[in-house]
């Protein structure tokens, strides 16, 4: 006997640029049988280096664990791989459901109300809604919000281009 689940997604379609799945994230996808599809769609990454805007080396390391590399992948194909598997498993995805409010249910669990006026109840509510989480705003209204750490990230992808391993100092 498993857990009955439903997914309520604010967006109507996948969007976003890209992300890097760490080796532990790829291990979860391996357990789900999705690692090969992700590796096929993405690019394996085994090392990282970081510099500041002045060319000072900030750190680096190996992105490998348990024999698995990390993977750089576009968000839309990753979202499609995940949603295809969710639907194959018979878990409904209801799109365009923007969270309005959460209340504790009298019998336990939670009731989520959406901006379209609909609501749903369940034993557990898991908010996977990012750095500007509406779930967090409701559950902890005193939370000050994310704090800028001074780090930014820029990335891209290409093929057939030789990229220097060290930044060019001007």
């Amino acid at each position: 006997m498993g857990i009955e689940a439903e997914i309520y997604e604010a967006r109507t379609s996948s969007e976003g640029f890209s992300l890097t799945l760490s080796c532990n994230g790829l291990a979860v996808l391996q357990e789900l049988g999705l690692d090969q599809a992700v590796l096929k769609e993405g690019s394996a990454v085994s090392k990282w280096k970081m510099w500041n805007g002045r060319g000072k080396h900030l750190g680096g390391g190996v992105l490998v664990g348990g024999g698995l590399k990390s993977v750089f992948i576009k968000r839309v194909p990753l979202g499609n791989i995940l949603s295809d598997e969710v639907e194959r498993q018979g878990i409904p995805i209801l799109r365009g459901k923007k969270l309005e409010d959460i209340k504790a249910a009298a019998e336990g669990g939670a009731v989520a109300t959406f901006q379209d006026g609909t609501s749903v109840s369940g034993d557990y509510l898991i908010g996977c809604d990012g750095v500007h989480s509406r779930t967090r705003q409701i559950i902890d209204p005193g939370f000050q919000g994310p704090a800028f750490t001074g780090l930014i990230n820029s990335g891209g992808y290409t093929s057939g281009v030789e990229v220097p391993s060290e930044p060019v100092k001007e």
Side-chain angles (χ1 to χ4, degrees):
M1 179 181 229
I3 297 172
E4 291 183 34
E6 296 174 338
I7 297 174
Y8 296 86
E9 170 59 51
R11 295 183 177 105
T12 56
S13 62
S14 297
E15 58 184 65
F17 181 65
S18 62
L19 60 87
T20 301
L21 284 169
S22 294
C23 50
N24 59 344
L26 191 60
V28 171
L29 294 174
Q30 186 178 47
E31 287 287 322
L32 298 171
L34 301 176
D35 58 313
Q36 292 305 309
V38 168
L39 287 166
K40 181 179 175 188
E41 198 62 51
S43 299
V45 178
S46 57
K47 297 178 185 176
W48 69 277
K49 292 183 181 181
M50 186 184 299
W51 295 269
N52 70 12
R54 295 184 194 94
K56 179 182 176 188
H57 184 253
L58 299 176
V62 177
L63 294 172
V64 178
L68 296 171
K69 294 183 178 185
S70 296
V71 178
F72 181 79
I73 187 169
K74 296 177 190 176
R75 286 181 184 264
V76 171
L78 176 62
N80 291 339
I81 290 166
L82 294 173
S83 63
D84 288 350
E85 178 62 16
V86 164
E87 289 172 353
R88 190 187 76 70
Q89 294 281 340
I91 299 168
I93 302 174
L94 293 94
R95 299 184 185 279
K97 303 299 266 183
K98 294 182 180 182
L99 184 64
E100 179 69 30
D101 199 12
I102 303 167
K103 298 284 186 207
E107 65 279 358
V111 177
T113 304
F114 301 99
Q115 289 180 3
D116 65 5
T118 61
S119 63
V120 63
S121 62
D123 294 330
Y124 299 99
L125 178 131
I126 301 171
C128 303
D129 48 351
V131 69
H132 300 287
S133 170
R134 176 73 180 136
T135 305
R136 184 185 301 117
Q137 291 169 4
I138 295 167
I139 291 172
D140 184 6
F143 178 66
Q144 298 294 312
F148 180 60
T149 63
L151 293 176
I152 59 172
N153 185 10
S154 176
Y157 43 89
T158 187
S159 62
V161 175
E162 188 69 30
V163 179
S165 62
E166 304 289 328
V168 177
K169 295 182 181 177
E170 300 177 8

